[in-house]
């Protein structure tokens, strides 16, 4: 089955947007971290994905792909982390408690020893009596000595070394040689421009924060379903990143707004819900070298409450701060769509609190450029229909096996047609079509092969406004012919048409 695309000059064109496949490559590292270690890394061949000029490609997490300075920084961070884990020095507060107990034990031991020396001097020859057989006193003395140093040993040994400490289910002890350890460490290094000490301190603070915030159990918490409409994950971008949508317009509902930000307890619940959402999103990632280890974030600001909503502004700033400090390099791109003018002023206030690397990932799109912007990063079949794409909730008509989406350029003042031959009788065709910016005349017809038959008008011609949603239509033929989709562009700007179709043969015809 072929699809003919004709212009007024009957020129045939077909352009297919190829889908990209994200290759997953495993890396095996067998080494213990030691000072001046020799690096031996075995890397399997890596399959390159189809690159898109406007898409974002993650930096490599393979050791052999790093620059020399980056390799040295990674080796140094491995060593520091290994030393800290085995020395129980990752958590500062716990270490201080141990030091305090140790000091108290040493102080009590010194006091007891001084008392014993004074007692020995005053009793004169008491020591000699103990030697010649007063076993009762002899037994008592060793018992006194055991009350100091042995207690210290118990205190010191009461803190066990946690060799199984992990982050996002990835073991952190470098000598375990887990596949994802370097991936996690490189996130912290990149967030701090490969400054080892700063990256190490960031990692320690993250572990401490997670312990205090109790993120280990947060996925099991029931924080309600009322916020489900404000954030969700659906589809993949051109490089395989899961796409996360944050819909701020949902908070225009005053009842939901008050229920979310009305009290301090509710605001804390929202914060825990947002971190829970992030933790759940990370479970969709592949934290191994060669794997997709970050998300694409879409922030929809359509109908979002303005800057007068102080609670939302404060909560947003708090969430951004926590994510930036404790989830480094987990966002490939941060795309803001339907951006109102007032947001640029708000962003300028937030900007000083963001790192330059974070700000470099920001993309902004006005309402008229939403679909065009998203298409630079996400295939049309993965973009939700409300944003101009073809992805529909619980859509069972199209799947990845049905192929990709084709595109067609219609020049200003010209007409193009898409012709789908229908040779077999009783065939049902389903198609999706969208025009970026619309403002075109659109018509659908079935033209029989038999010249004596009448043309069937599927969709009469009409002017499509710039806010039209993508079209989905179906047609079942009773005779051979072709489906003709006509796009007439009367505007002064060229238009891009996106379309796809599927054939369903009838068993009863």
């Amino acid at each position: 089955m072929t699809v003919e695309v004709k212009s007024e000059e009957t020129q045939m064109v077909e352009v297919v947007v190829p889908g990209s496949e994200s290759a997953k490559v495993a890396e095996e590292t067998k080494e213990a971290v030691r000072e001046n270690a020799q690096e031996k890394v075995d890397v399997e061949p890596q399959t390159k994905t189809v690159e898109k000029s406007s898409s974002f490609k993650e930096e490599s997490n393979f050791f052999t792909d790093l620059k020399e300075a980056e390799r040295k920084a990674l080796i140094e961070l491995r060593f520091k982390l290994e030393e800290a884990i085995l020395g129980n020095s990752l958590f500062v507060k716990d270490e201080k408690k141990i030091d305090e107990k140790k000091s108290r034990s040493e102080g009590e031991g010194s006091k007891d020893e001084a008392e014993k020396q004074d007692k020995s001097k005053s009793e004169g020859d008491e020591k000699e009596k103990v030697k010649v057989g007063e076993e009762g006193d002899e037994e008592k003395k060793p018992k006194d000595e055991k009350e100091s140093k042995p207690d210290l040993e118990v205190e010191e040994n009461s803190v066990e070394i946690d060799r199984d400490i992990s982050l996002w289910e990835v073991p952190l002890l470098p000598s375990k040689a887990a596949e994802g350890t370097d991936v996690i460490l490189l996130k912290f290094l990149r967030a701090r421009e490969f400054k080892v000490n700063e990256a190490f301190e960031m990692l320690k603070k993250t572990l401490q924060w997670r312990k205090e915030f109790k993120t280990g159990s947060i996925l099991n918490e029931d924080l309600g379903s009322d916020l489900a409409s404000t954030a969700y994950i659906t589809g993949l971008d051109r490089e395989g990143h899961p796409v996360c949508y944050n819909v701020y317009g949902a908070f225009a509902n005053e009842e939901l707004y008050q229920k979310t930000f009305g009290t301090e307890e509710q605001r804390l619940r929202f914060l825990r819900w947002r971190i829970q959402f992030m933790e759940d999103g990370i479970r969709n990632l592949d934290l191994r070298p060669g794997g997709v280890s970050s998300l694409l974030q879409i922030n929809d600001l359509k109908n979002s409450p303005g800057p007068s909503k102080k609670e939302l502004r404060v909560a947003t700033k708090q969430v951004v701060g926590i994510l930036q400090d404790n989830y480094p390099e987990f966002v490939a791109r941060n795309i803001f769509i339907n951006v109102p003018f007032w947001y640029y002023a708000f962003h300028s206030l937030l900007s000083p609190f963001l790192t330059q690397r974070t700000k470099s990932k920001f993309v902004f799109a006005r309402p008229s450029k939403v679909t065009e912007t998203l298409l630079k990063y996400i295939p049309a079949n993965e973009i939700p229909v409300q944003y101009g794409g073809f992805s529909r909730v619980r859509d069972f008509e199209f799947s990845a096996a049905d192929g990709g989406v084709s595109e067609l350029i219609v020049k200003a003042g010209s007409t193009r047609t898409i012709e789908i031959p229908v040779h077999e009788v009783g065939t049902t065709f389903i198609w999706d079509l969208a025009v970026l910016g619309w403002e075109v005349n659109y018509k659908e017809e079935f033209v029989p092969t038999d010249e004596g038959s009448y043309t069937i008008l599927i969709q009469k011609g009409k002017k499509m406004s710039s806010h039209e949603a993508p079209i989905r239509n179906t047609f079942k033929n009773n005779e051979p012919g072709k489906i003709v989709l006509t796009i007439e562009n009367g505007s002064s700007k060229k238009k891009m048409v996106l379309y796809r179709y599927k054939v369903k043969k009838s068993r009863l015809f």
Side-chain angles (χ1 to χ4, degrees), residues 85 162-173 207 210:
I85 292 176
D162 185 5
R163 296 174 181 271
D164 297 323
I165 185 171
S166 64
L167 191 53
W168 301 297
E169 299 184 356
V170 175
L172 282 183
L173 188 65
L207 292 171
R210 292 178 68 84

Side-chain angles (χ1 to χ4, degrees), residues 33 74-90 165 171-174 181 184-185 196 200 203-204 207:
V33 174
L74 178 56
I75 294 171
E76 186 178 346
L77 183 55
R78 287 178 188 167
F79 181 78
K80 289 177 73 71
L81 180 58
E82 181 94 5
E83 188 178 49
I85 292 176
L86 298 181
N88 282 318
S89 61
L90 272 181
I165 185 171
L172 282 183
L173 188 65
T181 305
I184 298 299
L185 298 186
V196 178
F200 181 57
L203 175 57
K204 287 175 63 177
L207 292 171

Side-chain angles (χ1 to χ4, degrees), residues 410-463:
V410 184
K411 295 180 180 179
S414 67
T415 300
R416 304 294 296 272
T417 61
I418 301 171
E419 297 187 359
I420 307 173
V422 185
H423 301 298
E424 188 173 343
V425 176
T427 301
T428 299
F429 281 80
I430 305 172
W431 63 89
D432 287 330
L433 184 141
V435 179
L436 268 64
W438 285 101
E439 295 182 350
V440 298
N441 289 311
Y442 176 69
K443 182 173 62 174
E444 300 172 343
E445 301 172 293
F446 174 73
V447 181
T449 301
D450 185 352
E451 295 181 357
S453 298
Y454 292 100
T455 296
I456 300 174
L457 191 62
I458 303 173
Q459 167 67 60
K460 67 179 182 179
K462 68 172 184 175
K463 179 77 173 181

Side-chain angles (χ1 to χ4, degrees), residues 332-444:
R333 275 285 186 271
N334 226 330
I335 303 176
F336 295 80
I337 60 175
N338 292 310
V339 181
F341 284 114
W342 63 260
Y343 184 79
Y344 292 102
F346 170 68
H347 178 71
S348 65
L349 297 176
L350 189 65
S351 185
F353 300 97
L354 305 174
T355 65
Q356 186 58 42
R357 187 176 177 86
T358 297
K359 288 187 285 188
S360 69
K361 297 179 181 181
F362 285 7
V363 177
F364 298 92
R366 298 283 297 154
S368 60
K369 298 291 185 180
V370 169
T371 307
E372 181 180 341
T373 299
L374 294 182
L375 281 170
K376 294 179 179 179
Y377 305 93
I378 312 170
N381 56 304
E382 298 282 1
I383 299 175
V385 67
Q386 64 267 33
Y387 298 125
F390 294 151
S391 177
R392 300 170 186 266
V393 178
R394 293 183 291 277
D395 183 9
F396 303 106
E397 293 294 353
F398 286 90
S399 66
D402 296 319
V405 175
S406 298
E407 62 183 38
L408 170 70
I409 300 297
V410 184
K411 295 180 180 179
S414 67
T415 300
R416 304 294 296 272
T417 61
I418 301 171
E419 297 187 359
I420 307 173
V422 185
H423 301 298
E424 188 173 343
V425 176
T427 301
T428 299
F429 281 80
I430 305 172
W431 63 89
D432 287 330
L433 184 141
V435 179
L436 268 64
W438 285 101
E439 295 182 350
V440 298
N441 289 311
Y442 176 69
K443 182 173 62 174
E444 300 172 343

Side-chain angles (χ1 to χ4, degrees), residues 229-294:
S229 62
T230 67
Y232 57 90
I233 295 177
T234 181
L236 302 174
D237 73 358
R238 296 188 185 278
E239 300 296 341
H241 301 105
V243 184
C244 169
Y245 292 85
N246 300 290
V247 187
Y248 288 89
F251 293 117
N253 182 311
E254 189 62 26
E255 181 180 352
L256 178 61
Y257 185 90
Q258 291 301 326
K259 189 176 181 180
T260 305
F261 306 109
T263 66
E264 182 64 30
E265 182 180 354
Q266 290 169 332
R267 290 191 290 272
L268 177 59
R269 174 176 168 272
F270 167 75
L271 183 61
R272 290 195 67 78
W273 172 85
R274 187 61 185 82
I275 300 306
Q276 182 190 66
F277 179 76
M278 186 66 183
E279 289 286 322
D280 190 48
I282 291 176
R283 295 200 297 181
N284 294 305
L285 303 177
D286 182 6
L287 300 177
R288 295 179 297 175
V292 174
S293 62
S294 61

Side-chain angles (χ1 to χ4, degrees), residues 292-333:
V292 174
S293 62
S294 61
L295 303 163
L296 181 71
Q297 290 242 56
I298 309 296
N299 304 283
D300 185 2
L301 300 177
K302 184 177 182 180
N303 299 324
S304 174
S308 60
K309 295 289 188 179
K310 179 182 177 181
E311 297 84 1
L312 176 59
R313 186 173 72 250
V314 172
T316 300
K317 181 180 176 181
Q318 190 175 14
V319 169
V320 169
I322 289 177
L323 294 180
Q324 181 177 240
D325 293 342
N326 303 288
Y327 295 87
E329 301 301 304
F330 273 106
V331 177
R333 275 285 186 271

